[in-house]
Amino acid sequence: MTTMTALNTDRPEPAPKKFPITTLAISFVVLVCMSLILVQVWVTWRAREVQLAETERATSNLARSVGQHAYDTIKGADTILVGLVERLEVDGMAESTLPRFHTLLVKRVEELPQLHGIFVYDQNGNWIVNSQPVLKKNANNSDREYFIYHRDHIDRDVHIGPPIKSKSTGEWIITVSRRFNKADGSFAGVVLATIQMTYFKKFYEQFDIGETGAIFVALSNGTILLRRPFEEKSLGRDISQLPLFRDYLPRAKVGTQTFTSGQDGITRINSYRQLDSYPLVVSAALSRNEVLDEWKSNAIIHAIGVACLVFGLAIIGSRLIRQITLRAQAEDELQKARSTLEQLNRTLEKLAMQDGLTGLANRRQFDIALKDEFSRAMRNASSLALIMIDVDCFKQYNDIYGHAAGDECLREISKVVAAGKHRPGDLSARYGGEEMAILLPGTDVAGAMKVAENIRQAIYHLELKHSGNATGVVTVSAGIDAFVPVRENNLPLELIEAADKALYYAKSQGRNCIRVGNGHLT
């Protein structure tokens, strides 16, 4: 099989591209301006990263401070409770000792400013003694969460309950409690220390966290104890399904993450930590927008400065370019006029050689190309192949669907035919009516058969509806011939006649097929 690769050595080499000095000058000015902009963008972005990193360190330190404060506050109350439990379990509590206990509890509350009060309840929740000036008679706290917890759990660990309102004062408090037992180990009652919510609020208000920053202390199960900004509706709220508890705490007890709050929708840089000694989680968060406000202001100022500099460079560069352009104006205008004329000539030549309906080469261009390629094949003793293609039952197609649809059908088929050639030397042309031709220099029958078969299948798979055709879709038939022409013995018309006879034979054989001419085969 003769190879399908053809070298077209007769065509002139394209002229090398010229880069005028104006293009170089523009490129230089653009490069300088873009460099300034890119450097400024990098510096601005780097400043943003530094600002965020510093904020993460600040929030981490703030969370550590809040955590230590929460630990110290709870620890102070818990230390008192441990002593009370030991005394109650060892010495018991007789009626005669209540005044002494009362005095002790009042003194402990005075010593620790965070304490709201200290209370002792018996196994039924009745008030035994507390730090208040006057003990309320017939008061009972058996309905409180902390009492129910200790009554139903035998563990002796400290229990921190959700925020509640004090029955005695009506203030919001945090409860820290322990269970004490009888000699036989059964439940004897609860000792309770209550911490004033205002104690935490005053401490947190000392920190500058901006307008939308946030600090909160929560239980490990996700129940909020206190939050700044303070809102009563947030006290005791369950946030266990928000990102901090759901996504981050299970992976690390201490960390810094940026995410959007599920309470107010503000994106913050959150530093959190879970305390080791108590079931508490603390978080300190700063609004990312507030943190970046100063950076944004600086970025805008720097951007304006760079924009002014770039604008100045652009003006200077444009004047320089204009001077260069004026010097070469006469030559450029002449070159443009020449190029325009050449382009016009090429356009006219193309229009003269192109079929208006299909966009393929027209009959005139085909005849010229056939003559040239036939002569070249004789000189090089190479094979020249021709494929003649005809649309099956096209007259019926026009009768059924109309001439406009027929034209559109020819356009679609022409696209496939045009795509069937793969080399610069190949030529696809509209030979006449619904008949098309493909000229393949340097190609034998086997190569042409492969090209024709690919085109036939591609047109079949277009599935253009044709009820007048036996297949139900538009199909084509093709005739092929190829030979090595011999000077004085062969004429271009012989190749056309042979391929046309093969096409006629394909039509007589049922259409939608390819046949090869009988003469001059390789």
Side-chain angles (χ1 to χ4, degrees):
M1 172 180 171
T2 305
T3 178
M4 293 180 65
T5 303
L7 297 177
N8 192 349
T9 56
D10 295 340
R11 292 181 174 85
E13 292 293 331
K17 293 182 179 180
K18 296 182 180 180
F19 296 94
I21 191 171
T22 52
T23 302
L24 296 176
I26 292 173
S27 300
F28 177 76
V29 173
V30 171
L31 179 61
V32 172
C33 294
M34 289 300 298
S35 298
L36 287 173
I37 293 173
L38 290 175
V39 169
Q40 179 58 37
V41 169
W42 182 85
V43 170
T44 302
W45 183 259
R46 180 59 184 164
R48 180 182 184 274
E49 296 299 306
V50 170
Q51 182 67 45
L52 291 176
E54 290 178 351
T55 302
E56 288 183 1
R57 285 193 293 271
T59 55
S60 179
N61 291 333
L62 181 56
R64 186 181 295 108
S65 175
V66 171
Q68 186 63 47
H69 176 263
Y71 171 81
D72 293 340
T73 302
I74 301 297
K75 185 65 176 177
D78 189 34
T79 300
I80 295 175
L81 297 183
V82 171
L84 284 175
V85 169
E86 191 275 337
R87 179 171 295 188
L88 289 169
E89 291 184 343
V90 174
D91 299 336
M93 181 171 289
E95 188 71 26
S96 59
T97 62
L98 292 182
R100 180 167 167 266
F101 259 100
H102 178 258
T103 302
L104 175 64
L105 297 184
V106 171
K107 185 176 181 181
R108 290 290 182 265
V109 171
E110 292 175 350
E111 291 172 349
L112 296 176
Q114 69 265 36
L115 291 182
H116 167 265
I118 303 175
F119 303 81
V120 180
Y121 307 104
D122 65 15
Q123 61 186 0
N124 297 317
N126 297 316
W127 293 26
I128 300 175
V129 66
N130 57 42
S131 60
Q132 294 181 345
V134 179
L135 179 66
K136 288 186 177 182
K137 301 296 183 180
N138 300 321
N140 186 279
N141 277 35
S142 60
D143 60 334
R144 289 297 200 183
E145 181 272 343
Y146 54 84
F147 186 87
I148 296 172
Y149 176 85
H150 288 300
R151 185 189 63 195
D152 298 341
H153 295 76
I154 62 173
D155 66 82
R156 307 298 301 276
D157 295 333
V158 65
H159 176 69
I160 302 174
I164 59 174
K165 277 192 175 183
S166 170
K167 287 185 177 181
S168 57
T169 64
E171 299 178 15
W172 280 101
I173 55 174
I174 296 174
T175 61
V176 182
S177 58
R178 281 184 178 271
R179 165 181 171 146
F180 66 94
N181 293 334
K182 298 177 182 179
D184 59 0
S186 61
F187 178 61
V190 173
V191 290
L192 171 72
T194 57
I195 301 174
Q196 302 178 72
M197 197 74 74
T198 55
Y199 177 78
F200 286 99
K201 289 174 57 180
K202 289 178 181 178
F203 178 74
Y204 296 157
E205 287 170 356
Q206 299 176 25
F207 297 108
D208 181 8
I209 59 173
E211 294 290 332
T212 55
I215 299 174
F216 76 75
V217 179
L219 296 176
S220 297
N221 62 8
T223 301
I224 291 183
L225 297 181
L226 176 66
R227 184 178 186 271
R228 176 187 170 189
F230 180 79
E231 293 179 349
E232 285 195 8
K233 65 180 181 180
S234 68
L235 300 180
R237 180 183 176 188
D238 183 7
I239 59 172
S240 59
Q241 296 305 311
L242 296 185
L244 176 59
F245 284 84
R246 184 191 63 218
D247 302 329
Y248 302 117
L249 271 173
R251 289 184 288 181
K253 291 185 177 182
V254 178
T256 300
Q257 299 290 340
T258 299
F259 54 85
T260 302
S261 171
Q263 299 193 69
D264 52 25
I266 297 175
T267 300
R268 296 183 176 91
I269 301 170
N270 292 261
S271 285
Y272 63 90
R273 59 180 51 240
Q274 186 169 3
L275 303 189
D276 294 327
S277 302
Y278 296 105
L280 294 177
V281 174
V282 299
S283 172
L286 299 178
S287 168
R288 186 174 63 180
N289 288 338
E290 286 188 357
V291 167
L292 294 177
D293 278 345
E294 184 177 356
W295 168 81
K296 289 178 181 177
S297 299
N298 292 334
I300 292 173
I301 293 173
H302 294 161
I304 292 174
V306 171
C308 293
L309 180 59
V310 170
F311 182 70
L313 288 174
I315 291 177
I316 295 174
S318 64
R319 291 185 177 180
L320 176 62
I321 293 168
R322 186 163 178 244
Q323 291 298 322
I324 296 173
T325 304
L326 289 175
R327 291 181 183 181
Q329 184 175 6
E331 181 182 351
D332 288 345
E333 290 179 354
L334 179 61
Q335 183 64 33
K336 289 178 182 178
R338 184 183 303 164
S339 298
T340 301
L341 182 60
E342 291 176 353
Q343 180 65 33
L344 180 59
N345 289 335
R346 285 194 295 269
T347 302
L348 292 174
E349 182 180 356
K350 183 178 180 181
L351 291 175
M353 296 292 186
Q354 188 178 53
D355 180 63
L357 175 64
T358 64
L360 300 176
N362 60 15
R363 179 66 178 270
R364 178 185 176 191
Q365 185 177 358
F366 173 78
D367 291 340
I368 294 172
L370 177 62
K371 181 179 178 181
D372 292 342
E373 296 298 344
F374 202 86
S375 299
R376 184 177 293 109
M378 283 193 296
R379 291 196 306 269
N380 299 334
S382 60
S383 176
L384 179 63
L386 176 63
I387 304 173
M388 297 294 288
I389 299 172
D390 187 73
V391 182
D392 296 330
C393 303
F394 190 69
K395 182 179 182 303
Q396 290 89 330
Y397 189 94
N398 279 333
D399 292 342
I400 295 172
Y401 302 105
H403 289 280
D407 291 346
E408 183 60 31
C409 177
L410 288 179
R411 290 191 192 96
E412 293 298 320
I413 293 174
S414 298
K415 292 177 184 178
V416 177
V417 172
K421 67 180 188 67
H422 301 289
R423 303 170 303 171
D426 299 343
L427 178 71
S428 299
R430 184 183 183 190
Y431 193 76
E434 69 273 18
E435 196 170 6
M436 302 173 194
I438 302 178
L439 192 62
L440 302 171
T443 305
D444 59 10
V445 168
M449 174 66 79
K450 183 177 180 181
V451 173
E453 179 61 19
N454 289 339
I455 292 174
R456 185 194 68 80
Q457 292 185 13
I459 293 173
Y460 180 81
H461 289 300
L462 286 176
E463 297 183 352
L464 300 174
K465 185 178 180 181
H466 187 356
S467 60
N469 196 3
T471 61
V473 296
V474 172
T475 59
V476 296
S477 300
I480 299 173
D481 202 356
F483 60 85
V484 179
V486 179
R487 193 178 301 275
E488 306 297 337
N489 290 338
N490 299 116
L491 296 174
L493 184 60
E494 295 178 30
L495 183 61
I496 297 176
E497 290 176 345
D500 198 51
K501 287 179 180 179
L503 174 61
Y504 178 80
Y505 184 59
K507 289 284 189 179
S508 66
Q509 292 295 310
R511 300 184 175 88
N512 190 27
C513 61
I514 301 170
R515 294 293 180 266
V516 181
N518 295 323
H520 307 289
L521 301 180
T522 58

